[in-house]
Amino acid sequence: SASSYSQPDVAVSSHVDGPAFDKIPAVYPKFKAAGQTVMLVSFFRGAVRSMPGYEKMKRLASFVALQTPIGVGSKVELTVDLFTAVGV
């Protein structure tokens, strides 16, 4: 069924499975929800002494989840790429 698909599925089907590709609607269905993922950056390097921004962010009505290995006492570097981001 073409009711659920991903961009990689569509890309592969377009080359190797014509009938499956033909079942995919030309226009994506209307979104029923929205979301945003943010990458948190560090403008400083060193040891984390406190995390007031994280706590403020967690209190937002729109907040859902935070993934970060960073905590008070953690050592962080300047964020220069995805690997040095301090949270998602």
Side-chain angles (χ1 to χ4, degrees):
S1 160
S3 62
S4 178
Y5 52 90
S6 67
Q7 188 174 5
D9 290 335
V10 172
V12 170
S13 292
S14 71
H15 293 284
V16 300
D17 191 348
F21 183 74
D22 292 339
K23 292 179 186 176
I24 298 167
V27 177
Y28 197 80
K30 186 175 180 177
F31 285 111
K32 297 178 182 173
Q36 181 72 41
T37 299
V38 297
M39 304 299 290
L40 303 178
V41 300
S42 174
F43 293 105
F44 303 95
R45 65 170 50 111
V48 176
R49 293 185 293 192
S50 66
M51 301 171 63
Y54 284 59
E55 297 310 314
K56 186 173 183 180
M57 180 178 59
K58 289 178 184 179
R59 290 191 301 270
L60 293 171
S62 59
F63 179 81
V64 175
L66 172 65
Q67 297 175 333
T68 181
I70 306 302
V72 173
S74 296
K75 300 270 192 255
V76 296
E77 294 295 324
L78 290 170
T79 299
V80 295
D81 55 24
L82 292 175
F83 300 106
T84 54
V86 292
V88 179

